Amino acid sequence: MDNQKKVFTDSGIEIKEVYAAIDNPLLKIEQPGEFPYTRGVQPDMYRGKLWTMRQYAGFSTAEESNKRYHYLLSQGVSGLSVAFDLPTQIGYDSNHSLSDGEVGKVGVAIDSLEDVELLFAGINLEEVSTSMTINASGFILLAFYVALAKKQGADLKKISGTIQNDILKEYAARGTYIYPPKQSMRIITDIFEWCAKEVPKWNTISISGYHIREAGSTAVQEIAFTLSNGKAYVKAALDKGLDINVFGKRLSFFFNSHNNLFEEVAKFRAARKMWATIMKELGATDPKAMMLRFHTQTGGSTLTAQQPQNNISRVTIQTLAAVLGGTQSLHTNGFDEALSLPTEEAARIALRTQQIVAFESGVVDTVDPLAGSYFIEALTAEVETAAWKLINQIDAMGGSVAAIEVGFMQDEIAKSAYEYQRNIESGEKIIVGVNKFDVQEKNITSVFKIDDSIQKTQIDKLLELKSRRDNNKVKQCLDSIAVAAKGTDNLMPLVVTAVENFCTLGEIADVLRAEFGEFK
């Protein structure tokens, strides 16, 4: 036994050859739906209701994306998930010089309320739950969505969905921030406060480990940094005088699912337990405010451009991990996403993967089916211990904002990414079809291409809108946002009024750039 090679997860947790009861001396098998929710937030989990099957889509113009949404809804998705192009994510209209060459490329281009009307044409917002992957300009996209719901005559108390709205991970891992941390946190707490009153079913933030993992973190770092960021948002909301039992129910999380099936399941279980503990310590008493509800996306960075069909198997393992780990919502990646945006065929196979797991695999028939496994329980405890260690380090620095400002999270992620890549290059870590079992191949996967003429179409629409809207009213709306930004009034009502009067995304973002400055 002793001379055998040791085996570790990517988080550095050693995996023993055999696990037994002795590896779990403190194990108390809890009930699902009860604090600390290690085994799931619902007592009956998927026997009561399956997870929401989402497909993340958005490209080129609102009209093109709308066609894809109708197609996905016809194929059985139960929630939409919108991808926005980079200019929209960083608060630039399509005619801004920095938008050049990026309009409609990695998501849909949105400049005004009219684009959002086209995006959701023929879709009743009361009947569909919409998740929007948007952060720095999330408050503007939420305002567009609410303005459209009002136009449709929807009851705002019934509309549901999520804006990602997690700016801390942008500073740590992803980079689509606009304003400095302090001002960004102010916008986020304004959203918490306003949504609690106006759109109570809306998830006001999706605290996101997904991009932390995509940037190269380990599974342990993913949950440690994400929960630490969550703690920072909760503290900012408490400082503003908000009720943790109200806003706490509208916090959701967004995690990645990678290929190490058991480590991923352990990660999801540990995260639920840890978040319940954190919220209880911060004063939550309502059980719903202590529940970690999360959306999962399969691991984009795990997909290979080589032998892309192999990615279907990877996504299947990742889907199983998310479901066995108790996700509330899931997006599965297309097998061709290492090459381009997913084609319709790839999006359909990705959705069918979820449906096969749901209806054919039997894993939904009982709650938390891996509970009580010597291995999974020991691994859950190890992941939890390692993640607490990192959270305690961050707390000692003064919390997430301080840790990001000194570059702690960024450095830790960079070190893990380097180590992972080194192991691939040395052959210690095998990636099938990349550093082992590779073949000389000619790529025959059809690739989805975005036409460069989209930028001109988008700019023409924007200029035409500006020529016929009431520009005096636009100026008044933008001036009122500037005045509120100098004080402490909630910005959201003013932003909703502004978008209803056809102020553009870029104009609203620019007013706040002038008041708050930009984070460099």
Side-chain angles (χ1 to χ4, degrees):
M1 288 278 277
D2 292 343
N3 59 7
Q4 286 189 350
K5 184 170 176 282
K6 290 187 170 189
V7 175
F8 296 89
T9 71
D10 291 334
S11 296
I13 294 169
E14 187 178 348
I15 301 300
K16 293 161 64 159
E17 189 171 315
V18 178
Y19 284 80
I22 197 168
D23 296 302
N24 297 281
L26 304 173
L27 181 63
K28 178 171 142 281
I29 294 288
E30 301 150 359
Q31 289 306 304
E34 288 178 13
F35 182 87
Y37 313 107
T38 314
R39 301 195 60 197
V41 292
Q42 301 295 343
D44 58 354
M45 281 308 282
Y46 305 130
R47 283 177 74 132
K49 182 175 180 273
L50 286 174
W51 64 92
T52 303
M53 296 185 196
R54 295 187 187 279
Q55 279 310 105
Y56 184 49
F59 50 87
S60 77
T61 60
E63 296 93 326
E64 284 303 312
S65 294
N66 177 260
K67 284 180 202 163
R68 177 68 65 93
Y69 296 153
H70 280 284
Y71 171 75
L72 289 169
L73 289 165
S74 78
Q75 294 299 306
V77 302
S78 43
L80 297 174
S81 194
V82 186
F84 298 96
D85 72 358
L86 278 173
T88 305
Q89 292 180 48
I90 46 182
Y92 292 124
D93 286 335
S94 297
N95 62 347
H96 194 284
S97 60
L98 291 176
S99 302
D100 248 11
E102 288 295 342
V103 175
K105 284 289 166 74
V106 298
V108 62
I110 298 292
D111 293 319
S112 74
L113 178 57
E114 290 191 349
D115 287 331
V116 178
E117 288 181 60
L118 292 168
L119 187 64
F120 294 105
I123 296 170
N124 183 338
L125 299 193
E126 251 187 47
E127 290 170 7
V128 68
S129 141
T130 305
S131 167
M132 298 192 270
T133 303
I134 194 80
N135 297 284
S137 55
F139 66 106
I140 308 172
L141 268 300
L142 175 61
F144 283 144
Y145 196 84
V146 166
L148 176 59
K150 283 164 77 175
K151 267 191 143 171
Q152 285 189 356
D155 177 354
L156 294 188
K157 302 278 185 282
K158 286 186 189 160
I159 70 163
S160 66
T162 306
I163 41 172
Q164 195 164 94
N165 196 30
D166 171 7
I167 205 67
L168 293 177
K169 68 94 179 44
E170 295 296 328
Y171 302 120
R174 193 163 167 269
T176 67
Y177 43 73
I178 304 175
Y179 315 110
K182 185 167 173 278
Q183 288 79 0
S184 295
M185 294 295 266
R186 179 239 169 123
I187 294 172
I188 288 169
T189 53
D190 279 1
I191 292 168
F192 287 2
E193 180 179 52
W194 183 81
C195 286
K197 296 190 194 86
E198 303 297 328
V199 273
K201 283 180 79 176
W202 195 265
N203 294 322
T204 48
I205 194 166
S206 173
I207 305 157
S208 174
Y210 185 83
H211 307 94
I212 289 171
R213 191 70 178 278
E214 288 293 286
S217 83
T218 64
V220 165
Q221 288 169 335
E222 180 189 351
I223 59 167
F225 296 163
T226 307
L227 299 184
S228 184
N229 288 348
K231 206 167 160 180
Y233 294 124
V234 171
K235 285 183 167 172
L238 289 171
D239 290 346
K240 199 182 169 94
L242 304 184
D243 183 345
I244 192 167
N245 288 320
V246 176
F247 74 78
K249 292 179 197 169
R250 299 270 51 103
L251 306 174
S252 69
F253 288 79
F254 173 26
F255 291 120
N256 208 316
S257 189
H258 275 216
N259 293 326
N260 188 325
L261 182 78
F262 298 110
E263 185 178 38
E264 294 301 297
V265 174
K267 175 189 83 177
F268 296 131
R269 296 173 89 248
R272 261 195 302 272
K273 184 179 179 187
M274 293 169 75
W275 185 246
T277 308
I278 288 168
M279 288 299 272
K280 193 172 188 178
E281 282 171 359
L282 289 170
T285 52
D286 187 318
K288 281 202 159 70
M290 299 182 222
M291 290 177 185
L292 180 142
R293 296 164 305 117
F294 67 99
H295 168 69
T296 308
Q297 182 173 338
T298 56
S301 63
T302 68
L303 303 181
T304 63
Q306 299 92 328
Q307 303 176 32
Q309 283 77 5
N310 292 347
N311 294 328
I312 297 172
S313 302
R314 293 186 176 102
V315 168
T316 305
I317 292 168
Q318 294 163 8
T319 301
L320 271 171
V323 172
L324 290 167
T327 194
Q328 277 61 67
S329 161
L330 179 61
H331 162 83
T332 31
N333 288 336
F335 69 85
D336 54 1
E337 285 187 49
L339 300 164
S340 71
L341 287 167
T343 56
E344 214 162 80
E345 181 202 22
R348 186 176 65 246
I349 291 171
L351 175 62
R352 294 288 179 260
T353 303
Q354 295 199 46
Q355 291 163 336
I356 290 165
V357 168
F359 299 107
E360 297 183 26
S361 74
V363 298
V364 302
D365 296 343
T366 186
V367 181
D368 192 21
L370 295 183
S373 143
Y374 297 143
F375 177 36
I376 217 72
E377 295 294 357
L379 194 52
T380 301
E382 292 231 37
V383 168
E384 185 190 349
T385 302
W388 279 129
K389 195 174 158 197
L390 275 173
I391 288 177
N392 294 337
Q393 265 182 283
I394 292 166
D395 283 348
M397 293 175 190
S400 272
V401 177
I404 287 164
E405 283 172 345
V406 299
F408 172 73
M409 287 189 198
Q410 298 92 311
D411 290 348
E412 291 294 305
I413 294 167
K415 275 186 240 169
S416 297
Y418 172 75
E419 190 62 22
Y420 184 79
Q421 194 55 40
R422 211 177 56 128
N423 289 340
I424 291 172
E425 284 169 22
S426 71
E428 196 162 315
K429 182 159 190 69
I430 292 168
I431 307 293
V432 173
V434 176
N435 63 355
K436 199 160 186 175
F437 316 114
D438 51 334
V439 291
Q440 287 303 308
E441 60 182 333
K442 189 165 148 283
N443 179 36
I444 49 159
T445 307
S446 57
V447 173
F448 188 83
K449 284 202 163 61
I450 298 293
D451 192 336
D452 280 328
S453 66
I454 281 151
Q455 184 163 0
K456 185 182 182 316
T457 309
Q458 199 61 21
I459 291 171
D460 290 346
K461 272 199 301 191
L462 183 61
L463 297 176
E464 197 268 326
L465 167 71
K466 287 185 172 183
S467 69
R468 63 180 156 79
R469 66 185 185 178
D470 181 341
N471 283 304
N472 288 328
K473 192 84 185 126
V474 165
K475 187 178 182 310
Q476 284 169 17
C477 290
L478 296 173
D479 287 348
S480 68
I481 291 172
V483 170
K486 288 182 174 71
T488 55
D489 286 357
N490 194 305
L491 295 167
M492 280 306 297
L494 301 169
V495 176
V496 173
T497 303
V499 303
E500 287 175 328
N501 284 287
F502 301 104
C503 293
T504 69
L505 172 117
E507 288 169 335
I508 295 166
D510 279 349
V511 166
L512 293 179
R513 274 188 181 93
E515 295 303 324
F516 293 160
E518 286 189 73
F519 184 72
K520 292 281 186 274

